[in-house]
Amino acid sequence: MSFERSAGVVLHPTSLPGKYGIGELGKEAKQWIDVLEAAGQTLWQVMPLGPTGYGDSPYQSFSAFAGNPYLISIDSLIEQEFLRLSDLEDMPVFSASQVDFGAVIPWKLKVLSAAYERFGVVADGSSFGSFDAFCQREAYWLDDYALFMACKEANGGKQWTVWDVNLRTRNPETLTEWQNRLEEPILKQKFWQWLFYSQWQDLHDYAASKGISIIGDIPIFVSMDSADTWANPELFFLDEQGEPTVVAGVPPDYFSETGQRWGNPLYRWDVLEATHYSWWIKRVQAVLNQVDIVRIDHFRGFEAYWEIPASEDTAIRGTWVKGGGQPFFDAMREAFGDDLAIIAEDLGVITPEVEALRDDNNLPGMQILQFAFSTDANNLYLPHNYPKQSVVYTGTHDNDTTVGWYASATTREQDLARRYLGRDGSNIAWDLIRLAYASPAVLALTTLQDILNLGSAGRMNTPGVAAGNWSWRFSFDEIEPWMVETLKDISLVYGRVEAELDDIDFKSGELKNSQSS
């Protein structure tokens, strides 16, 4: 697909402001979209929206199809009368700047359970009809997911591989027994998904009305402890107990000397091909129902992936194994046509074969400015080397903030950055934002942390570190008017948003609200 030159901001919904301890899909999310519109941004990139498990990572979800119930807007439930103010009386005192998942999760699930109970009492025929239609429409994934989560709760949260053998192996009689036993918990899980999908659709529609396209994220791999592996074990390399024999990761690289052992089960691509990639097609369709553009995380894994024996504690001892390759993308094109809007996250160890798979399918790859200053003018991450068909980022959720990166960069990197920019480095975050927007790349994205000039305390994730990630939040008071005006000005100057008559002072010939960064 051919993209139009545009720009936007990376921000996961958990980082949104709000009084309930975690960002939600309510009024604050719409206010954020209003900020993007005012700043001349037409893209909002989010991370995977699935329900998170251990480590709270959006890249380790209990389902590749379900939504994260922690994002459900409590205020919206009060407006619908599915909750009463008295249901919130025991709310802890939450931090406005960090998500304390340990405190948020049990409280929010308690509140959402109260909403389920009240729904059965106050909902009208229209609401019941909408819920029933949702359950029927999404049954192909929802039935397995709701049963999985209900069984998981009944088993004390334990991973499915240690459940009773008949439940673990999905014996039909055992499944029927558990479905009958857990009828209410299963319905509760389906109700939460209906709430999430309804609120997200409302938010997506609002973004569209403001000219904002949402970029979603599909991790190439699924979590081991997920409804996906439990319901589809034949698609993965698992032993008789359901445990993986080999797991995913990446070899030693920029982020880690021992590589990254993610632990995700690996696909049996031969089985997927024999089914014409039907599971993957359903997965991509589910995400495209929620967003406008899809970023595929770890794109290189489709050409070849790093296979680590499950017995290994690190990712050092692994082997490159061929992935789905061109037959996979042929199946995607057959299912979705030639206009499938995909961004290929092509970072890491990239070979000519990976580049060919990306380019043969006309997919834009990613350019990271923080990687640009480690060598010389031939560095492919320097903007003068970019192809137009690419997406430039000041940094991603896996990078330090730009201010944090610059503070810890080598003297050589700092010197090259200053020389390349022609600036003294005192405003490095905005210097890189301007450089990204000026670049040839068709799409340019920055993070809200960089707009706010935050140091390392604003970092979202540190790869290879299991705890303490994904918790950063902001407040709208931190977004100063000059930031909004300057971002719009930069977008106008570098052709990433169309100038309207009201943007131009015809007497001076200059753009209005122009600010120097």
Side-chain angles (χ1 to χ4, degrees):
M1 178 178 180
S2 296
F3 292 95
E4 294 184 0
R5 187 171 173 84
S6 52
V9 181
V10 179
L11 180 79
H12 198 50
T14 55
S15 296
L16 288 164
K19 57 190 173 183
Y20 301 116
I22 190 171
E24 297 183 336
L25 306 181
K27 59 184 179 181
E28 291 84 6
K30 291 183 177 179
Q31 187 177 349
W32 166 245
I33 289 172
D34 293 340
V35 170
L36 289 173
E37 181 190 29
Q41 306 305 286
T42 57
L43 300 172
W44 173 22
Q45 181 169 324
V46 301
M47 295 170 215
L49 296 169
T52 55
Y54 175 76
D56 308 304
S57 169
Y59 294 90
Q60 294 287 354
S61 174
F62 291 132
S63 170
F65 296 85
N68 190 344
Y70 312 144
L71 298 175
I72 293 171
S73 168
I74 288 178
D75 284 338
S76 297
L77 298 183
I78 292 173
E79 292 174 6
Q80 293 174 282
E81 299 185 351
F82 296 164
L83 282 176
R84 297 165 294 189
L85 291 177
S86 59
D87 293 320
L88 312 180
E89 288 178 349
D90 63 345
M91 184 175 72
V93 178
F94 292 120
S95 168
S97 61
Q98 297 286 320
V99 181
D100 181 355
F101 290 99
V104 166
I105 291 173
W107 180 79
K108 189 138 193 184
L109 292 183
K110 178 182 176 182
V111 171
L112 292 177
S113 294
Y116 169 70
E117 296 295 334
R118 186 158 175 78
F119 172 75
V121 176
V122 303
D124 57 19
S126 176
S127 295
F128 278 121
S130 175
F131 175 49
D132 184 61
F134 170 79
C135 291
Q136 293 185 44
R137 184 177 67 250
E138 307 296 331
Y140 70 96
W141 65 267
L142 183 61
D143 289 350
D144 281 325
Y145 168 76
L147 176 59
F148 172 83
M149 293 301 291
C151 290
K152 188 173 182 63
E153 183 180 16
N155 280 277
K158 295 178 181 177
Q159 182 166 300
W160 67 266
T161 55
V162 299
W163 295 352
D164 173 78
V165 62
N166 290 323
L167 182 60
R168 187 171 71 234
T169 57
R170 295 175 60 85
N171 174 276
E173 293 182 0
T174 301
L175 289 183
T176 299
E177 176 187 339
W178 280 78
Q179 287 166 346
N180 293 332
R181 184 194 310 176
L182 301 176
E183 182 178 2
E184 285 300 312
I186 290 170
L187 278 174
K188 181 178 67 175
Q189 292 289 339
K190 291 182 177 182
F191 172 72
W192 291 351
Q193 288 304 305
W194 174 63
L195 292 178
F196 174 89
Y197 268 71
S198 299
Q199 292 186 4
W200 180 261
Q201 185 61 57
D202 179 61
L203 186 62
H204 190 193
D205 290 344
Y206 185 78
S209 75
K210 299 293 185 176
I212 309 295
S213 296
I214 299 178
I215 302 175
D217 200 321
I218 295 182
I220 184 174
F221 300 119
V222 300
S223 174
M224 181 59 224
D225 190 19
S226 68
D228 309 298
T229 54
W230 176 64
N232 307 280
E234 70 282 358
L235 301 182
F236 305 91
F237 284 104
L238 307 177
D239 63 20
E240 293 181 357
Q241 303 302 314
E243 296 286 357
T245 57
V246 289
V247 296
V250 290
D253 60 7
Y254 171 90
F255 291 111
S256 174
E257 294 180 356
T258 59
Q260 299 175 48
R261 185 190 184 279
W262 297 332
N264 306 77
L266 293 171
Y267 297 111
R268 294 184 57 186
W269 284 106
D270 58 333
V271 175
L272 285 165
E273 184 175 18
T275 62
H276 304 289
Y277 305 97
S278 61
W279 180 87
W280 258 103
I281 289 171
K282 292 174 184 176
R283 182 186 186 190
V284 172
Q285 184 63 69
V287 175
L288 286 174
N289 290 341
Q290 297 178 334
V291 301
D292 307 290
I293 302 168
V294 174
R295 170 190 178 271
I296 295 186
D297 190 55
H298 199 58
F299 169 83
R300 72 103 55 244
F302 288 104
E303 196 286 318
Y305 55 88
W306 190 244
E307 181 184 274
I308 308 165
S311 58
E312 291 291 327
D313 293 329
T314 74
I316 295 176
R317 295 184 179 88
T319 306
W320 287 110
V321 178
K322 289 295 182 181
Q326 190 57 47
F328 171 83
F329 287 97
D330 289 342
M332 294 301 109
R333 185 175 292 107
E334 182 178 347
F336 300 106
D338 293 329
D339 292 332
L340 184 59
I342 288 179
I343 296 170
E345 188 273 283
D346 55 348
L347 307 177
V349 181
I350 303 304
T351 64
E353 291 81 6
V354 177
E355 293 174 347
L357 185 64
R358 178 197 65 204
D359 296 343
D360 288 348
N361 290 283
N362 195 33
L363 304 179
M366 288 175 53
Q367 312 291 344
I368 310 299
L369 282 177
Q370 289 184 23
F371 297 165
F373 308 104
S374 59
T375 54
D376 55 26
N378 295 316
N379 189 316
L380 295 179
Y381 290 110
L382 285 170
H384 67 263
N385 294 318
Y386 293 174
K388 180 180 178 181
Q389 181 75 340
S390 61
V391 185
V392 60
Y393 294 78
T394 54
T396 74
H397 60 271
D398 282 335
N399 294 99
D400 201 345
T401 65
T402 293
V403 171
W405 159 78
Y406 186 75
S408 62
T410 66
T411 301
R412 187 175 186 279
E413 287 175 315
Q414 291 177 340
D415 178 64
L416 180 55
R418 289 192 297 266
R419 290 163 58 204
Y420 193 88
L421 293 161
R423 307 296 286 266
D424 65 5
S426 62
N427 199 12
I428 190 65
W430 278 91
D431 289 344
L432 287 201
I433 291 172
R434 181 177 290 277
L435 183 62
Y437 283 43
S439 77
V442 66
L443 305 183
L445 290 116
T446 187
T447 64
L448 181 57
Q449 291 95 320
D450 284 350
I451 293 171
L452 298 178
N453 263 314
L454 297 182
S456 296
R459 184 168 187 163
M460 194 65 171
N461 178 52
T462 303
V465 176
N469 296 311
W470 316 110
S471 62
W472 177 78
R473 300 179 73 198
F474 77 99
S475 70
F476 284 113
D477 291 341
E478 296 176 80
I479 304 177
E480 299 180 30
W482 73 263
M483 298 174 179
V484 175
E485 294 168 0
T486 304
L487 199 59
K488 183 171 185 178
D489 185 33
I490 292 173
S491 300
L492 286 164
V493 167
Y494 295 117
R496 295 194 180 275
V497 64
E498 291 186 9
E500 299 177 358
L501 293 181
D502 289 344
D503 295 317
I504 303 173
D505 184 336
F506 286 96
K507 187 174 181 179
S508 67
E510 296 179 352
L511 294 169
K512 295 179 181 178
N513 296 324
S514 179
Q515 300 281 336
S516 173
S517 63

PDB file of all heavy atoms in Angstrom, residues 130-155:
ATOM      1  N   SER A 130     -27.263  -6.123  21.751  1.00  0.00           N
ATOM      2  CA  SER A 130     -25.911  -5.812  21.296  1.00  0.00           C
ATOM      3  C   SER A 130     -24.908  -6.815  21.843  1.00  0.00           C
ATOM      4  O   SER A 130     -24.021  -7.276  21.118  1.00  0.00           O
ATOM      5  CB  SER A 130     -25.536  -4.395  21.741  1.00  0.00           C
ATOM      6  OG  SER A 130     -24.192  -4.101  21.419  1.00  0.00           O
ATOM      7  N   PHE A 131     -25.053  -7.153  23.117  1.00  0.00           N
ATOM      8  CA  PHE A 131     -24.154  -8.131  23.739  1.00  0.00           C
ATOM      9  C   PHE A 131     -24.290  -9.490  23.069  1.00  0.00           C
ATOM     10  O   PHE A 131     -23.288 -10.146  22.740  1.00  0.00           O
ATOM     11  CB  PHE A 131     -24.461  -8.225  25.235  1.00  0.00           C
ATOM     12  CG  PHE A 131     -23.677  -9.281  25.967  1.00  0.00           C
ATOM     13  CD1 PHE A 131     -22.294  -9.374  25.822  1.00  0.00           C
ATOM     14  CD2 PHE A 131     -24.318 -10.194  26.790  1.00  0.00           C
ATOM     15  CE1 PHE A 131     -21.571 -10.356  26.502  1.00  0.00           C
ATOM     16  CE2 PHE A 131     -23.605 -11.168  27.471  1.00  0.00           C
ATOM     17  CZ  PHE A 131     -22.231 -11.254  27.318  1.00  0.00           C
ATOM     18  N   ASP A 132     -25.511  -9.926  22.829  1.00  0.00           N
ATOM     19  CA  ASP A 132     -25.738 -11.230  22.205  1.00  0.00           C
ATOM     20  C   ASP A 132     -25.183 -11.261  20.783  1.00  0.00           C
ATOM     21  O   ASP A 132     -24.539 -12.246  20.378  1.00  0.00           O
ATOM     22  CB  ASP A 132     -27.237 -11.538  22.178  1.00  0.00           C
ATOM     23  CG  ASP A 132     -27.535 -12.925  21.618  1.00  0.00           C
ATOM     24  OD1 ASP A 132     -27.074 -13.921  22.218  1.00  0.00           O
ATOM     25  OD2 ASP A 132     -28.210 -13.010  20.583  1.00  0.00           O
ATOM     26  N   ALA A 133     -25.368 -10.172  20.030  1.00  0.00           N
ATOM     27  CA  ALA A 133     -24.846 -10.110  18.658  1.00  0.00           C
ATOM     28  C   ALA A 133     -23.326 -10.165  18.664  1.00  0.00           C
ATOM     29  O   ALA A 133     -22.716 -10.824  17.806  1.00  0.00           O
ATOM     30  CB  ALA A 133     -25.335  -8.841  17.974  1.00  0.00           C
ATOM     31  N   PHE A 134     -22.704  -9.466  19.624  1.00  0.00           N
ATOM     32  CA  PHE A 134     -21.250  -9.494  19.742  1.00  0.00           C
ATOM     33  C   PHE A 134     -20.757 -10.914  20.003  1.00  0.00           C
ATOM     34  O   PHE A 134     -19.808 -11.388  19.367  1.00  0.00           O
ATOM     35  CB  PHE A 134     -20.799  -8.563  20.870  1.00  0.00           C
ATOM     36  CG  PHE A 134     -19.349  -8.693  21.236  1.00  0.00           C
ATOM     37  CD1 PHE A 134     -18.361  -8.096  20.464  1.00  0.00           C
ATOM     38  CD2 PHE A 134     -18.965  -9.425  22.358  1.00  0.00           C
ATOM     39  CE1 PHE A 134     -17.023  -8.224  20.800  1.00  0.00           C
ATOM     40  CE2 PHE A 134     -17.622  -9.548  22.704  1.00  0.00           C
ATOM     41  CZ  PHE A 134     -16.651  -8.952  21.922  1.00  0.00           C
ATOM     42  N   CYS A 135     -21.405 -11.611  20.939  1.00  0.00           N
ATOM     43  CA  CYS A 135     -20.984 -12.980  21.284  1.00  0.00           C
ATOM     44  C   CYS A 135     -21.090 -13.912  20.088  1.00  0.00           C
ATOM     45  O   CYS A 135     -20.234 -14.780  19.895  1.00  0.00           O
ATOM     46  CB  CYS A 135     -21.826 -13.508  22.443  1.00  0.00           C
ATOM     47  SG  CYS A 135     -21.512 -12.682  24.024  1.00  0.00           S
ATOM     48  N   GLN A 136     -22.129 -13.745  19.291  1.00  0.00           N
ATOM     49  CA  GLN A 136     -22.290 -14.598  18.120  1.00  0.00           C
ATOM     50  C   GLN A 136     -21.262 -14.248  17.033  1.00  0.00           C
ATOM     51  O   GLN A 136     -20.661 -15.144  16.428  1.00  0.00           O
ATOM     52  CB  GLN A 136     -23.707 -14.451  17.562  1.00  0.00           C
ATOM     53  CG  GLN A 136     -24.789 -15.006  18.490  1.00  0.00           C
ATOM     54  CD  GLN A 136     -26.167 -14.962  17.847  1.00  0.00           C
ATOM     55  OE1 GLN A 136     -26.336 -15.312  16.674  1.00  0.00           O
ATOM     56  NE2 GLN A 136     -27.167 -14.523  18.614  1.00  0.00           N
ATOM     57  N   ARG A 137     -21.060 -12.952  16.830  1.00  0.00           N
ATOM     58  CA  ARG A 137     -20.145 -12.512  15.771  1.00  0.00           C
ATOM     59  C   ARG A 137     -18.706 -12.898  16.070  1.00  0.00           C
ATOM     60  O   ARG A 137     -17.945 -13.255  15.168  1.00  0.00           O
ATOM     61  CB  ARG A 137     -20.260 -10.989  15.622  1.00  0.00           C
ATOM     62  CG  ARG A 137     -19.414 -10.420  14.486  1.00  0.00           C
ATOM     63  CD  ARG A 137     -19.628  -8.923  14.337  1.00  0.00           C
ATOM     64  NE  ARG A 137     -19.132  -8.157  15.479  1.00  0.00           N
ATOM     65  CZ  ARG A 137     -19.901  -7.530  16.360  1.00  0.00           C
ATOM     66  NH1 ARG A 137     -21.234  -7.587  16.255  1.00  0.00           N
ATOM     67  NH2 ARG A 137     -19.362  -6.847  17.349  1.00  0.00           N
ATOM     68  N   GLU A 138     -18.302 -12.829  17.332  1.00  0.00           N
ATOM     69  CA  GLU A 138     -16.920 -13.078  17.713  1.00  0.00           C
ATOM     70  C   GLU A 138     -16.697 -14.476  18.295  1.00  0.00           C
ATOM     71  O   GLU A 138     -15.638 -14.757  18.855  1.00  0.00           O
ATOM     72  CB  GLU A 138     -16.466 -12.029  18.742  1.00  0.00           C
ATOM     73  CG  GLU A 138     -16.689 -10.600  18.311  1.00  0.00           C
ATOM     74  CD  GLU A 138     -15.869 -10.215  17.087  1.00  0.00           C
ATOM     75  OE1 GLU A 138     -14.775 -10.793  16.889  1.00  0.00           O
ATOM     76  OE2 GLU A 138     -16.320  -9.332  16.322  1.00  0.00           O
ATOM     77  N   ALA A 139     -17.668 -15.360  18.137  1.00  0.00           N
ATOM     78  CA  ALA A 139     -17.607 -16.680  18.779  1.00  0.00           C
ATOM     79  C   ALA A 139     -16.372 -17.471  18.376  1.00  0.00           C
ATOM     80  O   ALA A 139     -15.863 -18.289  19.160  1.00  0.00           O
ATOM     81  CB  ALA A 139     -18.868 -17.473  18.451  1.00  0.00           C
ATOM     82  N   TYR A 140     -15.857 -17.238  17.163  1.00  0.00           N
ATOM     83  CA  TYR A 140     -14.736 -18.032  16.656  1.00  0.00           C
ATOM     84  C   TYR A 140     -13.494 -17.920  17.531  1.00  0.00           C
ATOM     85  O   TYR A 140     -12.655 -18.816  17.550  1.00  0.00           O
ATOM     86  CB  TYR A 140     -14.421 -17.655  15.211  1.00  0.00           C
ATOM     87  CG  TYR A 140     -13.814 -16.285  15.019  1.00  0.00           C
ATOM     88  CD1 TYR A 140     -12.437 -16.128  14.923  1.00  0.00           C
ATOM     89  CD2 TYR A 140     -14.614 -15.154  14.922  1.00  0.00           C
ATOM     90  CE1 TYR A 140     -11.868 -14.870  14.750  1.00  0.00           C
ATOM     91  CE2 TYR A 140     -14.062 -13.899  14.733  1.00  0.00           C
ATOM     92  CZ  TYR A 140     -12.697 -13.756  14.653  1.00  0.00           C
ATOM     93  OH  TYR A 140     -12.142 -12.506  14.484  1.00  0.00           O
ATOM     94  N   TRP A 141     -13.343 -16.840  18.285  1.00  0.00           N
ATOM     95  CA  TRP A 141     -12.245 -16.714  19.248  1.00  0.00           C
ATOM     96  C   TRP A 141     -12.757 -16.517  20.680  1.00  0.00           C
ATOM     97  O   TRP A 141     -12.119 -16.943  21.634  1.00  0.00           O
ATOM     98  CB  TRP A 141     -11.313 -15.549  18.892  1.00  0.00           C
ATOM     99  CG  TRP A 141     -11.958 -14.191  18.986  1.00  0.00           C
ATOM    100  CD1 TRP A 141     -12.562 -13.490  17.986  1.00  0.00           C
ATOM    101  CD2 TRP A 141     -12.075 -13.379  20.157  1.00  0.00           C
ATOM    102  NE1 TRP A 141     -13.047 -12.291  18.454  1.00  0.00           N
ATOM    103  CE2 TRP A 141     -12.755 -12.191  19.792  1.00  0.00           C
ATOM    104  CE3 TRP A 141     -11.680 -13.530  21.487  1.00  0.00           C
ATOM    105  CZ2 TRP A 141     -13.049 -11.167  20.699  1.00  0.00           C
ATOM    106  CZ3 TRP A 141     -11.967 -12.508  22.398  1.00  0.00           C
ATOM    107  CH2 TRP A 141     -12.646 -11.340  21.998  1.00  0.00           C
ATOM    108  N   LEU A 142     -13.920 -15.885  20.797  1.00  0.00           N
ATOM    109  CA  LEU A 142     -14.431 -15.495  22.116  1.00  0.00           C
ATOM    110  C   LEU A 142     -14.771 -16.698  22.982  1.00  0.00           C
ATOM    111  O   LEU A 142     -14.518 -16.689  24.195  1.00  0.00           O
ATOM    112  CB  LEU A 142     -15.651 -14.596  21.937  1.00  0.00           C
ATOM    113  CG  LEU A 142     -16.271 -14.024  23.204  1.00  0.00           C
ATOM    114  CD1 LEU A 142     -15.277 -13.150  23.967  1.00  0.00           C
ATOM    115  CD2 LEU A 142     -17.529 -13.219  22.851  1.00  0.00           C
ATOM    116  N   ASP A 143     -15.351 -17.734  22.401  1.00  0.00           N
ATOM    117  CA  ASP A 143     -15.742 -18.902  23.194  1.00  0.00           C
ATOM    118  C   ASP A 143     -14.524 -19.545  23.852  1.00  0.00           C
ATOM    119  O   ASP A 143     -14.547 -19.850  25.056  1.00  0.00           O
ATOM    120  CB  ASP A 143     -16.475 -19.925  22.314  1.00  0.00           C
ATOM    121  CG  ASP A 143     -17.869 -19.463  21.908  1.00  0.00           C
ATOM    122  OD1 ASP A 143     -18.344 -18.448  22.466  1.00  0.00           O
ATOM    123  OD2 ASP A 143     -18.470 -20.104  21.033  1.00  0.00           O
ATOM    124  N   ASP A 144     -13.464 -19.761  23.074  1.00  0.00           N
ATOM    125  CA  ASP A 144     -12.255 -20.360  23.642  1.00  0.00           C
ATOM    126  C   ASP A 144     -11.608 -19.430  24.663  1.00  0.00           C
ATOM    127  O   ASP A 144     -11.155 -19.875  25.725  1.00  0.00           O
ATOM    128  CB  ASP A 144     -11.254 -20.685  22.528  1.00  0.00           C
ATOM    129  CG  ASP A 144     -11.606 -21.963  21.787  1.00  0.00           C
ATOM    130  OD1 ASP A 144     -12.123 -22.896  22.424  1.00  0.00           O
ATOM    131  OD2 ASP A 144     -11.348 -22.023  20.570  1.00  0.00           O
ATOM    132  N   TYR A 145     -11.558 -18.153  24.356  1.00  0.00           N
ATOM    133  CA  TYR A 145     -10.910 -17.201  25.263  1.00  0.00           C
ATOM    134  C   TYR A 145     -11.645 -17.117  26.594  1.00  0.00           C
ATOM    135  O   TYR A 145     -11.024 -17.164  27.671  1.00  0.00           O
ATOM    136  CB  TYR A 145     -10.840 -15.811  24.624  1.00  0.00           C
ATOM    137  CG  TYR A 145     -10.442 -14.747  25.611  1.00  0.00           C
ATOM    138  CD1 TYR A 145      -9.116 -14.618  26.019  1.00  0.00           C
ATOM    139  CD2 TYR A 145     -11.393 -13.895  26.167  1.00  0.00           C
ATOM    140  CE1 TYR A 145      -8.742 -13.652  26.951  1.00  0.00           C
ATOM    141  CE2 TYR A 145     -11.032 -12.923  27.100  1.00  0.00           C
ATOM    142  CZ  TYR A 145      -9.709 -12.814  27.484  1.00  0.00           C
ATOM    143  OH  TYR A 145      -9.348 -11.873  28.423  1.00  0.00           O
ATOM    144  N   ALA A 146     -12.967 -16.987  26.550  1.00  0.00           N
ATOM    145  CA  ALA A 146     -13.737 -16.845  27.788  1.00  0.00           C
ATOM    146  C   ALA A 146     -13.624 -18.096  28.652  1.00  0.00           C
ATOM    147  O   ALA A 146     -13.486 -18.008  29.881  1.00  0.00           O
ATOM    148  CB  ALA A 146     -15.200 -16.544  27.464  1.00  0.00           C
ATOM    149  N   LEU A 147     -13.662 -19.264  28.019  1.00  0.00           N
ATOM    150  CA  LEU A 147     -13.498 -20.507  28.768  1.00  0.00           C
ATOM    151  C   LEU A 147     -12.088 -20.584  29.340  1.00  0.00           C
ATOM    152  O   LEU A 147     -11.899 -20.980  30.504  1.00  0.00           O
ATOM    153  CB  LEU A 147     -13.787 -21.703  27.861  1.00  0.00           C
ATOM    154  CG  LEU A 147     -13.570 -23.087  28.485  1.00  0.00           C
ATOM    155  CD1 LEU A 147     -14.442 -23.277  29.723  1.00  0.00           C
ATOM    156  CD2 LEU A 147     -13.840 -24.184  27.450  1.00  0.00           C
ATOM    157  N   PHE A 148     -11.089 -20.215  28.552  1.00  0.00           N
ATOM    158  CA  PHE A 148      -9.706 -20.232  29.014  1.00  0.00           C
ATOM    159  C   PHE A 148      -9.529 -19.360  30.253  1.00  0.00           C
ATOM    160  O   PHE A 148      -8.933 -19.788  31.255  1.00  0.00           O
ATOM    161  CB  PHE A 148      -8.786 -19.748  27.887  1.00  0.00           C
ATOM    162  CG  PHE A 148      -7.356 -19.541  28.298  1.00  0.00           C
ATOM    163  CD1 PHE A 148      -6.471 -20.608  28.351  1.00  0.00           C
ATOM    164  CD2 PHE A 148      -6.884 -18.276  28.635  1.00  0.00           C
ATOM    165  CE1 PHE A 148      -5.148 -20.423  28.733  1.00  0.00           C
ATOM    166  CE2 PHE A 148      -5.563 -18.076  29.012  1.00  0.00           C
ATOM    167  CZ  PHE A 148      -4.695 -19.161  29.065  1.00  0.00           C
ATOM    168  N   MET A 149     -10.029 -18.146  30.203  1.00  0.00           N
ATOM    169  CA  MET A 149      -9.852 -17.222  31.322  1.00  0.00           C
ATOM    170  C   MET A 149     -10.624 -17.682  32.553  1.00  0.00           C
ATOM    171  O   MET A 149     -10.151 -17.546  33.694  1.00  0.00           O
ATOM    172  CB  MET A 149     -10.280 -15.821  30.914  1.00  0.00           C
ATOM    173  CG  MET A 149      -9.387 -15.187  29.861  1.00  0.00           C
ATOM    174  SD  MET A 149      -7.648 -15.036  30.348  1.00  0.00           S
ATOM    175  CE  MET A 149      -7.768 -13.783  31.639  1.00  0.00           C
ATOM    176  N   ALA A 150     -11.818 -18.240  32.342  1.00  0.00           N
ATOM    177  CA  ALA A 150     -12.601 -18.745  33.475  1.00  0.00           C
ATOM    178  C   ALA A 150     -11.899 -19.944  34.113  1.00  0.00           C
ATOM    179  O   ALA A 150     -11.837 -20.067  35.343  1.00  0.00           O
ATOM    180  CB  ALA A 150     -14.003 -19.125  33.007  1.00  0.00           C
ATOM    181  N   CYS A 151     -11.348 -20.831  33.278  1.00  0.00           N
ATOM    182  CA  CYS A 151     -10.607 -21.981  33.802  1.00  0.00           C
ATOM    183  C   CYS A 151      -9.334 -21.533  34.507  1.00  0.00           C
ATOM    184  O   CYS A 151      -8.954 -22.087  35.546  1.00  0.00           O
ATOM    185  CB  CYS A 151     -10.271 -22.952  32.672  1.00  0.00           C
ATOM    186  SG  CYS A 151     -11.682 -23.845  31.992  1.00  0.00           S
ATOM    187  N   LYS A 152      -8.695 -20.542  33.960  1.00  0.00           N
ATOM    188  CA  LYS A 152      -7.472 -20.021  34.567  1.00  0.00           C
ATOM    189  C   LYS A 152      -7.769 -19.456  35.955  1.00  0.00           C
ATOM    190  O   LYS A 152      -7.027 -19.699  36.915  1.00  0.00           O
ATOM    191  CB  LYS A 152      -6.862 -18.950  33.665  1.00  0.00           C
ATOM    192  CG  LYS A 152      -5.482 -18.478  34.094  1.00  0.00           C
ATOM    193  CD  LYS A 152      -4.895 -17.543  33.047  1.00  0.00           C
ATOM    194  CE  LYS A 152      -3.491 -17.114  33.444  1.00  0.00           C
ATOM    195  NZ  LYS A 152      -2.548 -18.257  33.522  1.00  0.00           N
ATOM    196  N   GLU A 153      -8.853 -18.715  36.067  1.00  0.00           N
ATOM    197  CA  GLU A 153      -9.255 -18.167  37.361  1.00  0.00           C
ATOM    198  C   GLU A 153      -9.579 -19.287  38.344  1.00  0.00           C
ATOM    199  O   GLU A 153      -9.177 -19.249  39.517  1.00  0.00           O
ATOM    200  CB  GLU A 153     -10.466 -17.254  37.184  1.00  0.00           C
ATOM    201  CG  GLU A 153     -10.927 -16.571  38.455  1.00  0.00           C
ATOM    202  CD  GLU A 153     -12.130 -15.677  38.243  1.00  0.00           C
ATOM    203  OE1 GLU A 153     -12.809 -15.804  37.184  1.00  0.00           O
ATOM    204  OE2 GLU A 153     -12.421 -14.850  39.123  1.00  0.00           O
ATOM    205  N   ALA A 154     -10.285 -20.311  37.864  1.00  0.00           N
ATOM    206  CA  ALA A 154     -10.651 -21.436  38.721  1.00  0.00           C
ATOM    207  C   ALA A 154      -9.439 -22.251  39.145  1.00  0.00           C
ATOM    208  O   ALA A 154      -9.485 -22.944  40.171  1.00  0.00           O
ATOM    209  CB  ALA A 154     -11.658 -22.338  37.994  1.00  0.00           C
ATOM    210  N   ASN A 155      -8.354 -22.165  38.378  1.00  0.00           N
ATOM    211  CA  ASN A 155      -7.118 -22.881  38.695  1.00  0.00           C
ATOM    212  C   ASN A 155      -6.087 -21.972  39.361  1.00  0.00           C
ATOM    213  O   ASN A 155      -4.881 -22.236  39.291  1.00  0.00           O
ATOM    214  CB  ASN A 155      -6.532 -23.496  37.420  1.00  0.00           C
ATOM    215  CG  ASN A 155      -7.210 -24.786  37.021  1.00  0.00           C
ATOM    216  OD1 ASN A 155      -6.890 -25.867  37.524  1.00  0.00           O
ATOM    217  ND2 ASN A 155      -8.185 -24.680  36.122  1.00  0.00           N
TER     218      ASN A 155
END
